[in-house]
Amino acid sequence: MKITRLHVGPRMSEVAIHNQVVYLAGQVAEDPSQDVAGQTQQVLAAIDRLLAEAGSDKQHLLQVTVFLKSIADFPAMNAVWDKWVVAGQTPPRATVEAGLARSEYLVEIKVIAAQI
C-alpha cells in the first residue's frame, strides 16, 4: 500500500495521496487579518495550488468540510464559494461552526478529491 505525502511536517502533512484519492489537511488563511470573504478566497487559492500539485483540481472534489468560527459568516463564505466551485461539479459538503486553532481564523476548509 503506497501513500504519498506532500509538505510533511513534524505534526502533519498538507497532502496525503492513496489509491488516486487526495486528502488535504484543513486549510486556513495565510493573512488572517482579512474578513471571512478574504480568508475564504485565500483558503480556496491554497486548495487550488495543493490539488494541482497532487494531480487534481476542484472539478474532482469528492467531499468538502467547511469550519466557520461563526455560522453568521455562512452567507459571506458561500458568496466566495459559489464563485469558485464548478457548476455541475459541486461536491457533497458540510459546514459547521467550530472553535478554530487560532482566534483570528474565521474559516478552515478540508477537502478530499480524486486524482485526474
Side-chain angles (χ1 to χ4, degrees):
M1 163 174 35
K2 181 181 178 197
I3 300 172
T4 302
R5 300 179 195 281
L6 306 176
H7 307 286
V8 178
R11 183 168 289 141
M12 60 179 250
S13 298
E14 288 293 330
V15 180
I17 305 164
H18 177 354
N19 287 341
Q20 296 185 293
V21 178
V22 179
Y23 302 86
L24 266 58
Q27 298 300 303
V28 294
E30 286 188 31
D31 176 9
S33 69
Q34 294 189 21
D35 64 8
V36 73
Q39 287 193 29
T40 301
Q41 288 171 342
Q42 290 178 59
V43 168
L44 295 176
I47 289 169
D48 281 335
R49 285 190 302 275
L50 289 169
L51 287 176
E53 186 176 354
S56 188
D57 62 31
K58 64 186 173 184
Q59 292 184 57
H60 293 85
L61 295 173
L62 298 172
Q63 185 178 46
V64 175
T65 306
V66 179
F67 304 95
L68 291 173
K69 181 177 180 177
S70 171
I71 203 67
D73 287 333
F74 188 68
M77 180 277 300
N78 269 334
V80 176
W81 170 269
D82 290 345
K83 291 177 185 171
W84 177 79
V85 75
V86 178
Q89 303 296 319
T90 53
R93 188 187 95 176
T95 303
V96 297
E97 184 175 73
L100 301 179
R102 290 177 31 197
S103 62
E104 59 267 29
Y105 291 144
L106 304 177
V107 61
E108 181 172 345
I109 301 177
K110 178 177 160 298
V111 307
I112 301 171
Q115 278 187 316
I116 300 171

